[in-house]
Structure formats: C-alpha cells, structure tokens
Amino acid sequence: MDFPLWLWAIPLVAFAVLEGLAIANRRRGDTASELLRKLAGIKPLRPWRPAGVAAIATFCAWLAQHLIGG
C-alpha cells in the first residue's frame, strides 16, 4: 500500500497556520526562522554558532540535492 500523498497536506497546513499566526502577532521570536536562529546560536550569539551554521548549511545542501537529484 502506497502512502497517500494528500496526508502531507496536514503538516504543511499546520506549519502554514502556525507561521501565519506568528507573523500576525508581530511578537519577536515566534516565527520558525527566528526559532532556528536561536537554536543554531546565531541570534543571540552562542558558542555553538559555527556548528549551528554548519548544520543549517549542510541540511540546506542535502535538501537541494535531494529535491533536484532525486
């Protein structure tokens, strides 16, 4: 049995709703990008910043290859 692709809509819609609410409330630190910056040690600056930046860059490179290369 194949995984029904329409089920991917559930987390995508949930993310869109949460991100939309975070943008609408205009509070700092609520969006996904702000959370990632905090976890990676980018803002505010933390000692693990180089590792956090490397992790984000590695993930982005992998995702691009995965989506384009198959």
Side-chain angles (χ1 to χ4, degrees):
M1 180 171 128
D2 290 335
F3 184 81
L5 291 178
W6 64 267
L7 285 176
W8 281 108
I10 295 169
L12 292 174
V13 168
F15 174 79
V17 167
L18 290 173
E19 191 71 4
L21 290 172
I23 291 168
N25 74 22
R26 297 179 183 246
R27 284 192 306 233
R28 294 181 59 158
D30 283 357
T31 64
S33 59
E34 291 168 323
L35 174 64
L36 281 174
R37 285 187 203 109
K38 184 175 181 180
L39 292 174
I42 297 169
K43 195 174 184 180
L45 184 61
R46 300 287 187 217
W48 59 86
R49 179 181 177 211
V53 170
I56 292 171
T58 301
F59 174 75
C60 289
W62 169 83
L63 183 61
Q65 187 279 330
H66 177 73
L67 292 175
I68 296 167

